[in-house]
Amino acid sequence: CVDNIIKVKSVEASTHATVAISSFILSAMTSSSTVIMSCLDILRRLDPAETEKHLENLTNLISNDDISDELYQRVDVPLIVLKDVNADDRKFLACDHNRDGDSHRSPWSNTYFPQLQDGFCPSEHLRQLELHANEVFDVYRELYFGKSTSVSSVYLWDKEANSGANNNDGTAGFSGAFLIQNKVDNGSYWNSIHVVDVGRIERGGMCEYKLTTTILISVSPSELGTESTRITGSLV
């Protein structure tokens, strides 16, 4: 009976996905917001363990780079670990918040991998704050999650309206992403993505800020038998 229910659910999910894809193709002739909502509707009905693959397939169908970039910003995928060869192979996390095109910026050397000319970088004051935040967060990560299985990264960026000379002292406000990945041998992982938006810093160091946290988890049993359960999902 359970097997039949699972098969029915799978058929229903496949049917819904087909309908959503058809709606998506039609919506390509309308507004960008309709395209985004159609893509999000598809992703909600598919296996969250393969969100990255599904997201890549959807963006391949979109001919508008601006819409593809917005979709990447709206959907969180498991963090990817890269190494910075310019900083003694220190590990860093790749996500949309340090991505420029197909390259990702390392918080350790402030360079892009693969190499990218004129990639986005924070202002000098914010860069110094970013370096300090990475060192502090790295200590927290090692003490809380363990040194061998986890990686952390912090990325800060100037707000578009406040970038350049107007934010040399950092008082105009900024945004940032604090990331942690903890991964174990059997494929289970914990990804936490904390995105903070800091408003203008007033006298006395007072400011308003908004924090959004997304948790991506996948839990698999350490010993797989004839029947197994895998839990994968996100919590915002």
Side-chain angles (χ1 to χ4, degrees):
C1 181
V2 174
D3 290 340
N4 291 334
I5 293 175
I6 293 175
K7 290 178 181 178
V8 170
K9 291 295 183 181
S10 298
V11 171
E12 290 178 350
S14 177
T15 301
H16 287 310
T18 302
V19 172
I21 290 172
S22 299
S23 300
F24 162 75
I25 295 173
L26 293 175
S27 67
M29 301 176 62
T30 59
S31 66
S32 60
S33 61
T34 307
V35 177
I36 294 295
M37 294 306 297
S38 297
C39 290
L40 295 177
D41 187 46
I42 293 173
L43 292 172
R44 279 193 293 267
R45 301 171 188 275
L46 299 175
D47 184 0
E50 298 182 341
T51 297
E52 188 174 10
K53 182 184 71 175
H54 299 320
L55 184 59
E56 181 179 357
N57 291 337
L58 287 173
T59 55
N60 287 337
L61 295 174
I62 301 174
S63 58
N64 189 310
D65 291 338
D66 292 335
I67 297 178
S68 296
D69 288 340
E70 182 178 351
L71 185 60
Y72 271 110
Q73 294 173 12
R74 296 280 295 272
V75 179
D76 291 307
V77 298
L79 302 170
I80 301 173
V81 178
L82 300 178
K83 289 185 178 181
D84 186 344
V85 296
N86 297 326
D88 298 325
D89 285 340
R90 292 192 72 169
K91 295 179 180 179
F92 67 96
L93 295 172
C95 67
D96 186 68
H97 301 292
N98 67 322
R99 180 177 65 88
D100 193 337
D102 294 326
S103 300
H104 292 86
R105 182 174 67 89
S106 166
W108 306 116
S109 65
N110 204 29
T111 54
Y112 277 87
F113 299 91
Q115 186 176 3
L116 177 67
Q117 297 293 334
D118 300 324
F120 170 82
C121 292
S123 59
E124 181 59 30
H125 174 85
L126 209 56
R127 172 59 184 157
Q128 295 305 313
L129 182 61
E130 182 183 72
L131 283 170
H132 182 65
N134 271 281
E135 295 294 350
V136 172
F137 211 55
D138 192 52
V139 173
Y140 159 75
R141 181 270 311 168
E142 183 175 332
L143 293 174
Y144 192 87
F145 292 94
K147 184 176 181 178
S148 61
T149 62
S150 61
V151 181
S152 67
S153 293
V154 178
Y155 300 104
L156 304 180
W157 60 91
D158 302 276
K159 294 183 178 179
E160 185 174 352
N162 300 328
S163 61
N166 293 331
N167 200 32
N168 283 339
D169 59 356
T171 59
F174 60 91
S175 299
F178 295 71
L179 316 172
I180 287 181
Q181 182 195 81
N182 188 36
K183 200 168 186 178
V184 293
D185 293 337
N186 65 351
S188 301
Y189 62 77
W190 165 284
N191 288 183
S192 54
I193 304 171
H194 311 280
V195 179
V196 60
D197 181 78
V198 180
R200 176 173 290 276
I201 301 175
E202 307 294 343
R203 289 185 177 181
M206 301 295 292
C207 68
E208 292 186 0
Y209 69 90
K210 178 181 178 181
L211 177 64
T212 303
T213 295
T214 302
I215 306 297
L216 304 173
I217 59 173
S218 180
V219 180
S220 300
S222 56
E223 295 183 2
L224 298 178
T226 55
E227 296 183 2
S228 61
T229 301
R230 180 177 184 181
I231 302 174
T232 304
S234 62
L235 175 65
V236 181

